[in-house]
Amino acid sequence: MLFSWTSLPPRVAVGRCASTIQASVQRFVPASGCIDSSALEQLQAFVSQASRLFVISGAGLSTESGIPDYRSEGVGLYARTDRRPMQHSEFVRSAKSRQRYWARNYVGWPQFSSHQPNPAHFALQDWEEKGKLHWLVTQNVDALHSKAGQQRLTELHGSTHRVVCLDCGQLTPRAELQKRFAALNPGWAAIAGAVAPDGDVFLKDEQVLNFIVPACDACGGVLKPEVTFFGDVVNRTTVNFVHNKLAESDAVLVAGSSLQVFSGYRFLLAASERKLPIAIVNIGPTRADHLTDLRVSARCGEVLPAIQL
């Protein structure tokens, strides 16, 4: 372990206060107060002393890019609607569910794919470029880290920007599938509701009845976004790869994740077993709070760019 942290007191409204963010994304970002100056100083020391930093990012990193998360209090998708994300078993077994999913995804894709990285994404890319960040694991499927130029990256749950055939395994760009949708459904249109973290939108069932879903152009198989749906498991090879990267690291930073999903939380358990120092930057409590004494409750887009290397 690099050093021991002194337990932090409850956040105190001193030091740097949250800056204004664009009104268009404000509704997706949970409320946060001023950054505790002591916590920020400790985070600076934490990053400075790490030489091979392992970072795990979550949906809270992308809310400042205008992509809602699922669980944030008051502003997350679960708080605002009664809709729930697609389940893996439902997608695989039901052609009707696939039709509904792809119709909604087709409508939401132009907006979802247009989102751009925010200052937190670019800060992490800068850390990589300067040799501070050893590996970044993101639980997000929005490809914003890739758009920011991140190279030392594992997309733990895949990416909505890729499509996989469940039969032959062929991977194709999501943008190409959008063209096929348009060609097969001329004149079909629907007005989108709220866009979910995976690009899904809310449409009524009757709106999707005549929507045509193409098959794999290589084998005629079923097409699915190359993401881990709820109820599915992350590929074991990917999990082992990430564990190996964690073993090469000397500190762990969580950025914008409550770690409620075990697929990400398991790496915090492994880090704790290795006695690696852990820091968390996230608005609100996380599943791993008991594993660290250093937690900064603030926006990643404000905190991460403030760290000096």
Side-chain angles (χ1 to χ4, degrees), residues 28 59 62-63 66-70 75-77 80 115 194-198:
F28 302 127
S62 292
T63 55
I67 300 176
D69 65 9
Y70 286 114
V75 296
L77 200 68
R80 293 183 291 110
H115 291 295
V195 180
D198 62 355

Side-chain angles (χ1 to χ4, degrees), residues 67-68 70 77 84-87 101 104-105 108-109 112 141-142 159-161 174 195-202 225 227-230:
I67 300 176
Y70 286 114
L77 200 68
R84 294 297 180 263
M86 173 64 69
Q87 296 289 316
Y101 174 85
R104 300 187 322 206
N105 191 270
W109 179 251
F112 183 79
V141 297
D142 52 35
S159 172
T160 56
H161 288 250
R174 175 62 182 80
V195 180
D198 62 355
D200 195 9
V201 300
F202 303 144
V227 301
T228 302
F229 280 142
F230 283 75

Side-chain angles (χ1 to χ4, degrees), residues 111-305:
Q111 178 182 341
F112 183 79
S113 62
S114 70
H115 291 295
Q116 296 301 315
N118 64 58
H121 295 98
F122 288 116
L124 292 173
Q125 192 278 331
D126 182 61
W127 293 7
E128 176 189 297
E129 202 168 77
K130 293 178 178 176
K132 174 64 65 175
L133 187 150
H134 177 59
W135 205 260
L136 170 61
V137 178
T138 184
Q139 300 167 94
N140 300 336
V141 297
D142 52 35
L144 293 187
H145 285 298
S146 294
K147 288 183 178 181
Q150 204 84 41
Q151 298 294 317
R152 303 181 69 82
L153 171 69
T154 295
E155 294 171 319
L156 188 64
H157 298 150
S159 172
T160 56
H161 288 250
R162 298 185 296 269
V163 177
V164 64
C165 173
L166 293 180
D167 293 273
C168 72
Q170 175 178 265
L171 285 174
T172 54
R174 175 62 182 80
E176 292 302 314
L177 183 60
Q178 190 75 357
K179 296 175 183 177
R180 296 184 65 193
F181 281 139
L184 287 171
N185 297 276
W188 187 91
I191 299 175
V195 180
D198 62 355
D200 195 9
V201 300
F202 303 144
L203 299 178
K204 297 178 180 179
D205 287 345
E206 57 267 24
Q207 292 178 280
V208 307
L209 290 177
N210 298 316
F211 188 78
I212 300 173
V213 178
C216 173
D217 58 9
C219 74
V222 172
L223 296 178
K224 172 184 171 293
E226 201 263 306
V227 301
T228 302
F229 280 142
F230 283 75
D232 195 9
V233 295
V234 177
N235 180 277
R236 174 51 59 180
T237 300
T238 300
V239 172
N240 290 340
F241 177 85
V242 173
H243 274 300
N244 289 337
K245 291 301 179 184
L246 178 63
E248 298 167 357
S249 305
D250 62 2
V252 175
L253 173 66
V254 177
S257 176
S258 63
L259 298 167
Q260 293 302 311
V261 178
F262 181 76
S263 58
Y265 177 62
R266 76 178 99 196
F267 300 115
L268 274 296
L269 294 176
S272 180
E273 289 177 2
R274 292 178 175 275
K275 301 191 183 306
L276 296 176
I278 299 169
I280 298 174
V281 179
N282 187 66
I283 299 174
T286 81
R287 190 177 181 181
D289 285 352
H290 65 290
L291 301 178
T292 178
D293 289 324
L294 178 56
R295 194 173 78 80
V296 181
S297 184
R299 293 190 294 105
C300 293
E302 181 178 16
V303 173
L304 301 189

Side-chain angles (χ1 to χ4, degrees), residues 86-105:
M86 173 64 69
Q87 296 289 316
H88 177 78
S89 59
E90 180 184 1
F91 187 93
V92 170
R93 72 168 182 258
S94 170
K96 188 175 182 63
S97 293
R98 292 194 295 272
Q99 179 193 44
R100 183 172 65 251
Y101 174 85
W102 278 123
R104 300 187 322 206
N105 191 270

Side-chain angles (χ1 to χ4, degrees), residues 7 19 38 41 58 151 235 306:
S7 295
S19 58
S38 173
E41 289 169 3
Q151 298 294 317
N235 180 277

